[in-house]
Amino acid sequence: MSLLTQSIVQNHLLERLPVSEQNELLQHCEKVKLTFGEELCLPDQPYQYLYFPLDGFVSLVTKVAGHTPLEIGLIGNEGMLGVTLVLDIDTVPIQAVVQGNGMAWRIEAKALQQVLKNCPQLRRCLQQYLFVLLQQLALNAGCAHFHLLEQRLARWLLMSQDRAHSEQLQLTHQFLAQMLGVRRSGVTVAASVMQRQQLISYTRGEIKILNRAALLTQSCQCYQLSLNSYNAALGDLKPTPAEEVAPAP
Amino acid sequence: MSLLTQSIVQNHLLERLPVSEQNELLQHCEKVKLTFGEELCLPDQPYQYLYFPLDGFVSLVTKVAGHTPLEIGLIGNEGMLGVTLVLDIDTVPIQAVVQGNGMAWRIEAKALQQVLKNCPQLRRCLQQYLFVLLQQLALNAGCAHFHLLEQRLARWLLMSQDRAHSEQLQLTHQFLAQMLGVRRSGVTVAASVMQRQQLISYTRGEIKILNRAALLTQSCQCYQLSLNSYNAALGDLKPTPAEEVAPAP
DNA sequence: CGCTGTCTGTGCGCTACGGCACCTAAAGTC
DNA sequence: GACTTTAGGTGCCGTAGCGCACAGACAGCG
């Protein structure tokens, strides 16, 4: 029996591994709590730990001088923070910040490099996930450039909900603004529209998703496209079955 | 003597290889002409050919429904189109379009996969380049989101000049607009400002760079940052020596 | 209890850029 | 030489989002 069954929420990448590799890997892992705002990976530094999120999740952000950080990727239990280690390069390419409190498996970079030698399936899996990440970076770049704040906010809430495994999110408008690369008050306006439409509700840093289906139609297609690209590369694990594409008008 | 010496402009990735690997690789390559607008890689299709540009160059673009394609990466003789093949995945993650006429080495995907088995240095090199590409995707996403059209245009001209190895570029405003994700007439305005300042001159699809130093100060720092990240990962080959950072005001 | 810090609501003027339309000029075509 | 096509120039209005500023509201703390 796998050590994984200790946790209710599992990491999808680990789930895909044969039990032998799971155990080999988890031997070197410890369960840690990710806390909001923590900077897990500093760019251009060597990796120290890598993370397989469970119900915590992490943003990849790019910092442009003179601007708030912009989110370009989101990593939850469908993925892993630090995949680029499969390239046998131990430098962090992109900064990562914890975005949702929760648990994750953590492993030392050096340990993972060792484990990779004996675990071909793990290597394969990380290669595939890196591929997906590339596609998502491209997708997000386009989304951030063209789509309206309200659509992007909707998408972002959906993606966070998927990764938090809860309809309750701890997020201030300030933080959302930073992730989306816009003003705080811009988010307030967009969010209050959504609140009036009963899509969400919030008070002081607690956002609750009330009507997920409606949020889906408000969000840009990038939400669905992002899921599709993941599923195409890493097979369907159907996290939220039968949520069909709702093309925007 | 390496086959490479047939060409004046060389591909920097290939230059880094030991001669034995160079020859092993070039055995399977043919020199082809890249022509403007050609779509070399279609996303979600299997790779057919991969390219090591010489004086031709290629854009990675992301297509968002209802918008013109947005450029998120630029590949010239400092890099390679199709690096993701080192992940042992033969699907194209990001669409590529030829952006500057010129020559490139072309190799069949299957041939490269074979060659990779005997060429550890090549594999290493592609891994490093993929790492750089990741960083550049992140950088470009931020740049496209925050920076002004004129700065981005300046940067873009500089990067194209580096890759074309010529101060003469064949580009219409229309095309520039698409790459930068803006209106055509927006580019016309930005370009005519630059022309008035004697930074560039152009007539009907022929842009000439007159004052590179001044363009550097007009462009966002992303130009320099992009060079830095390449040099950090793939060592200095000093394409344009002694061009120091000119921090914007 | 009041103080203080954090979160949210709202407004105002500004700007970069979008959409659109139209016009000129050079280049290609017959 | 006349016609069409394509590249570039210009203008007008609309608008998303910015910078900034200020006010209310709730939370925690002494």
Side-chain angles (χ1 to χ4, degrees), chain A residues 121-139:
Chain A
Q121 299 270 15
L122 175 61
R123 165 156 257 133
R124 184 91 203 105
C125 191
L126 299 193
Q127 287 172 332
Q128 288 171 328
Y129 181 61
L130 180 50
F131 180 88
V132 172
L133 207 58
L134 263 169
Q135 289 193 317
Q136 296 195 344
L137 289 181
L139 185 70

Side-chain angles (χ1 to χ4, degrees), chain A residues 151-169:
Chain A
Q151 303 180 296
R152 293 207 293 138
L153 178 58
R155 174 189 171 202
W156 202 89
L157 291 172
L158 291 170
M159 293 187 60
S160 296
Q161 185 187 12
D162 291 345
R163 284 156 186 80
H165 307 278
S166 156
E167 73 284 352
Q168 198 84 24
L169 304 169

Side-chain angles (χ1 to χ4, degrees), chain B:
Chain B
M1 195 206 233
S2 155
L3 288 172
L4 265 179
T5 52
Q6 290 173 2
S7 171
I8 304 157
V9 176
Q10 298 189 2
N11 181 286
H12 293 336
L13 295 184
L14 298 186
E15 277 186 286
R16 298 169 55 84
L17 300 180
V19 176
S20 64
E21 292 198 9
Q22 278 186 25
N23 287 329
E24 164 109 25
L25 182 66
L26 288 173
Q27 261 175 33
H28 301 85
C29 287
E30 44 185 341
K31 223 179 225 178
V32 293
K33 189 160 170 47
L34 305 180
T35 56
F36 179 84
E38 217 178 325
E39 302 205 331
L40 297 184
C41 293
L42 292 171
D44 303 316
Q45 307 276 316
Y47 279 117
Q48 192 166 9
Y49 298 106
L50 314 185
Y51 299 82
F52 294 91
L54 299 168
D55 58 339
F57 54 110
V58 176
S59 289
L60 297 177
V61 298
T62 180
K63 286 198 174 163
V64 176
H67 296 272
T68 71
L70 173 68
E71 188 196 76
I72 53 172
L74 195 52
I75 299 173
N77 74 319
E78 88 296 347
M80 172 202 184
L81 174 58
V83 244
T84 58
L85 210 71
V86 275
L87 299 175
D88 294 317
I89 296 171
D90 73 344
T91 307
V92 175
I94 301 178
Q95 180 165 3
V97 180
V98 174
Q99 208 264 91
N101 289 320
M103 304 307 292
W105 289 111
R106 179 176 91 171
I107 183 172
E108 280 194 36
K110 291 185 180 172
L112 185 67
Q113 281 168 327
Q114 284 305 315
V115 172
L116 271 172
K117 290 178 184 166
N118 311 320
C119 296
Q121 299 271 15
L122 175 62
R123 164 156 259 133
R124 184 92 205 103
C125 191
L126 299 193
Q127 286 172 331
Q128 289 171 327
Y129 182 61
L130 179 51
F131 180 88
V132 172
L133 208 58
L134 264 169
Q135 290 194 316
Q136 297 195 342
L137 288 182
L139 184 70
N140 289 337
C143 181
H145 188 74
F146 290 117
H147 289 151
L148 299 186
L149 175 53
E150 207 173 321
Q151 303 179 296
R152 292 207 293 138
L153 178 58
R155 175 187 171 205
W156 202 91
L157 291 172
L158 291 169
M159 293 188 61
S160 296
Q161 185 187 12
D162 291 347
R163 285 157 184 79
H165 306 278
S166 155
E167 73 283 353
Q168 198 84 24
L169 305 169
Q170 273 112 57
L171 298 165
T172 65
H173 293 186
Q174 180 60 56
F175 183 76
L176 284 166
Q178 289 198 3
M179 289 300 105
L180 297 169
V182 297
R183 276 181 320 163
R184 195 268 313 162
S185 52
V187 171
T188 299
V189 171
S192 52
V193 169
M194 288 183 183
Q195 192 168 47
R196 239 169 280 138
Q197 297 172 325
Q198 309 271 355
L199 306 186
I200 59 174
S201 72
Y202 55 89
T203 45
R204 293 187 75 75
E206 288 277 330
I207 295 188
K208 188 171 186 178
I209 291 173
L210 301 177
N211 187 342
R212 190 180 155 86
L215 265 187
L216 263 167
T217 68
Q218 290 260 324
S219 84
C220 46
Q221 318 90 309
C222 300
Y223 175 72
Q224 191 61 48
L225 293 173
S226 178
L227 278 186
N228 292 351
S229 93
Y230 183 85
N231 289 334
L234 284 157
D236 278 80
L237 286 172
K238 300 190 195 289
T240 41
E243 217 166 39
E244 288 305 313
V245 196

